[in-house]
Amino acid sequence: MAKRRIGILTGGGDCPGLNPAIRGAVLHSSAHGAESIGIRNGWKGLIESDARVLRLNDVAEIVVKGGTILGTSRTNPYKKENGPAHVMSTMKKLKLDALIVMGGEDTLGVASKLFEEHKAPVIGVPKTMDNDLSATEYTFGFDTAVTVATDAAERLRDTGRSHGRIMVLEVMGRHAGWVALFTGIAAAADYVCLPERPVDVKDMAAKLKAAYARNGTALVVASEAITLPGVHAHHKEIDDFGHEILKERGVAERLSEAIHKETGVETRAAVIGHIQRGGPPTIFDRILGTRAGVKASELALLGHFGYMVALKADKIVPVSLKEATADLKTVNLEWLDLLDTLTSALAGETNRRVKALKTGV
Ligand code: F6P
C-alpha cells in the first residue's frame, strides 16, 4: 500500500515555534508510516506547486530554531484568479491525503473556507506572536516575543535611569495588545498603551510624572496599533487579507513627543519591530509547538478534517476551524482592570476604573 502523504504549510507572519510544530508533525507522521510533504511559502506554494518531501534529517534538530524552514507568505488564494481551484488541483497532483495548515486568523480563515466550500482535507495549527486567536489559550510565538520584548524593556529602563529620561518601547501586535500587556507587566512598566482603548494622554502623563518623581525614570510599553488622539497615520496600505500594513512603525516616536509635551521630561523611543519575531523559541513555545504539530498529524492520519488544534486547560484538543476563526481575541476588561490596578498603585493613585471588590471566591 502506498504511504499516506501529509502536506504541511506555514502562512502569514512567521514566529518562533513553527519549526518545533513542523518537526512534531513530521516525526508523528513518520512514526505512523506516513510521508510529509513541505509546501514552500504558504498558500503560494500550493498555487505554484512548490513542494518537497521532508526527511528526518530536515527536521531532526529544528526544535531549537526560530522562523520556518518552509518559508511563508501572506498570499490569499481567494484574491488570485482561480486560486482555490489551483490549490485543490495541486493537492491532488501532490497526492496529499491531508494538509496541515499552520497560520493565524488569515491563513486559517482560508483553510476553513476551503474545507467548507471544497471539502479540503485540512487541519489547522494556530501560530502567531500576537496571541489573538480566541479558541486557544495561547499560541506559540507569543511567549518568545514577550520574552524578547521584556529583555528590551529592561535594557531601556537601565539607560533611562542613567539619563533621567522617560523611555518608550513599541512592540508588535496588529489588532490585539497581548504582547504590550504581558511585556508591560513583566517589565514593571509604569504605563502600557494598548490598541483596545485610545490612549488617555492626561492619565498617562499623571502616572509618568508620579513614577518619575519616585524613581527618576519611567517606562512606557506601547503596542504598534494604538490610537493616539489627534494623531493619524500618514498613509494606509492594505494587504491581501484586507489588513493595514503597519510598515510605518514609529507610533512610539509620536507618543514620546506627546509625553515630553505633557511632562516636560526628556523622552526617547525605541521600536523593537521584527526582532521580537526571531531567535530561538522559548521552552514553552518549543513544547507547545511540538504538541500542536503532533496532534495535527494525529488528526490528519485519523481523517478528522476541518479542525484546528487548540490549547485548553493544558490539553491539546480539536476545535472546528469555523469556530476557531470566527472571533479575534483581544485584551478584555479583566486584564485591563489588572493592568490599571498595577499602574495606578505604582503612581500612588487608587484605580478609578475598578469600582468595588467583589466578595466571595
Ligand atoms: O501578525 C503578526 C505580526 O507580527 C503583527 O504583530 C505585525 O503587525 C505584523 O505581523 C507585521 O507583518 P510583516 O512581517 O508583514 O511586516
Side-chain angles (χ1 to χ4, degrees), residues 13-14 74 127-130 132 172-174 224 245-247 249 274 277:
D14 70 342
R74 293 196 189 274
K127 68 85 225 177
T128 165
M129 59 152 284
D130 295 348
D132 58 359
M172 281 183 171
R174 198 163 38 180
E224 62 181 344
I245 300 173
L246 297 167
K247 271 200 274 196
R249 297 200 166 81
H274 292 82
R277 256 186 21 204

Side-chain angles (χ1 to χ4, degrees), residues 108-161:
L108 295 178
V110 170
S112 178
K113 241 173 141 180
L114 287 171
F115 176 72
E116 297 291 324
E117 295 174 3
H118 298 270
K119 301 263 168 296
V122 289
I123 289 112
V125 171
K127 68 85 225 177
T128 165
M129 59 152 284
D130 295 348
N131 197 36
D132 58 359
L133 289 171
S134 56
T136 186
E137 283 160 9
Y138 285 97
T139 51
F140 55 77
F142 174 66
D143 189 63
T144 308
V146 170
T147 302
V148 174
T150 301
D151 176 66
E154 286 170 9
R155 288 167 195 268
L156 284 182
R157 197 191 272 290
D158 286 347
T159 164
R161 186 177 294 111

Side-chain angles (χ1 to χ4, degrees), residues 164-184:
R165 289 170 174 158
I166 295 175
M167 304 303 288
V168 178
L169 174 67
E170 176 180 323
V171 299
M172 281 183 171
R174 198 163 38 180
H175 303 295
W178 295 107
V179 177
L181 176 77
F182 274 48
T183 303

Side-chain angles (χ1 to χ4, degrees), residues 4-343:
R4 279 175 297 172
R5 287 163 67 88
I6 313 295
I8 306 175
L9 71 77
T10 56
D14 70 342
C15 71
L18 277 169
N19 282 332
I22 294 167
R23 177 177 180 267
V26 173
L27 295 188
H28 181 275
S29 291
S30 168
H32 290 80
E35 196 167 34
S36 296
I37 312 298
I39 316 293
R40 288 199 185 87
N41 303 325
W43 293 115
K44 192 163 181 263
L46 272 188
I47 293 173
E48 297 172 356
S49 192
D50 191 0
R52 67 184 161 118
V53 173
L54 290 175
R55 306 197 188 280
L56 281 186
N57 237 1
D58 295 321
V59 301
E61 290 173 19
I62 62 171
V63 68
V64 305
K65 288 208 163 82
T68 160
I69 57 162
L70 297 177
T72 185
S73 72
R74 293 196 189 274
T75 301
N76 180 354
Y78 281 90
K79 284 286 153 86
K80 308 282 172 216
E81 212 181 322
N82 296 323
H86 278 306
V87 168
M88 294 309 294
S89 68
T90 309
M91 282 183 65
K92 211 165 162 194
K93 189 175 119 196
L94 294 172
K95 297 192 173 67
L96 298 185
D97 296 292
L99 176 69
I100 296 175
V101 179
M102 303 186 177
E105 49 149 345
D106 296 333
T107 306
L108 295 178
V110 170
S112 178
K113 241 173 141 180
L114 287 171
F115 176 72
E116 297 291 324
E117 295 174 3
H118 298 270
K119 301 263 168 296
V122 289
I123 289 112
V125 171
K127 68 85 225 177
T128 165
M129 59 152 284
D130 295 348
N131 197 36
D132 58 359
L133 289 171
S134 56
T136 186
E137 283 160 9
Y138 285 97
T139 51
F140 55 77
F142 174 66
D143 189 63
T144 308
V146 170
T147 302
V148 174
T150 301
D151 176 66
E154 286 170 9
R155 288 167 195 268
L156 284 182
R157 197 191 272 290
D158 286 347
T159 164
R161 186 177 294 111
S162 307
H163 287 262
R165 289 170 174 158
I166 295 175
M167 304 303 288
V168 178
L169 174 67
E170 176 180 323
V171 299
M172 281 183 171
R174 198 163 38 180
H175 303 295
W178 295 107
V179 177
L181 176 77
F182 274 48
T183 303
I185 294 173
D190 300 292
Y191 208 78
V192 180
C193 302
L194 303 170
E196 283 81 359
R197 61 182 178 191
V199 179
D200 180 340
V201 177
K202 296 283 171 212
D203 179 54
M204 174 174 67
K207 289 192 168 63
L208 294 180
K209 277 185 192 165
Y212 191 82
R214 176 173 52 79
N215 208 14
T217 183
L219 175 68
V220 178
V221 176
S223 175
E224 62 181 344
I226 56 168
T227 309
L228 193 54
V231 176
H232 304 286
H234 297 304
H235 67 267
K236 286 197 174 181
E237 221 182 292
I238 303 296
D239 71 13
D240 249 14
F241 288 92
H243 299 297
E244 194 182 331
I245 300 173
L246 297 167
K247 271 200 274 196
E248 196 200 353
R249 297 200 166 81
V251 74
E253 200 56 60
R254 296 194 282 275
L255 190 61
S256 72
E257 280 162 23
I259 292 169
H260 181 231
K261 199 166 147 228
E262 291 291 326
T263 63
V265 179
E266 194 177 26
T267 304
R268 292 284 190 272
V271 184
I272 185 174
H274 292 82
I275 294 168
Q276 73 209 282
R277 256 186 21 204
T282 56
I283 304 306
F284 181 86
D285 283 340
R286 292 180 200 190
I287 304 299
L288 181 57
T290 301
R291 292 177 78 196
V294 164
K295 187 72 181 182
S297 164
E298 186 187 309
L299 294 180
L301 295 176
L302 288 171
H304 291 174
F305 304 127
Y307 291 99
M308 181 192 89
V309 297
L311 179 70
K312 285 188 192 244
D314 203 31
K315 297 244 177 311
I316 307 288
V317 295
V319 290
S320 93
L321 265 172
K322 202 170 179 186
E323 182 199 323
T325 52
D327 297 308
L328 217 57
K329 181 173 70 183
T330 52
V331 174
N332 57 24
L333 269 181
E334 203 180 320
W335 278 106
L336 292 177
D337 281 346
L338 184 146
L339 177 65
D340 292 343
T341 295
L342 298 176
T343 54

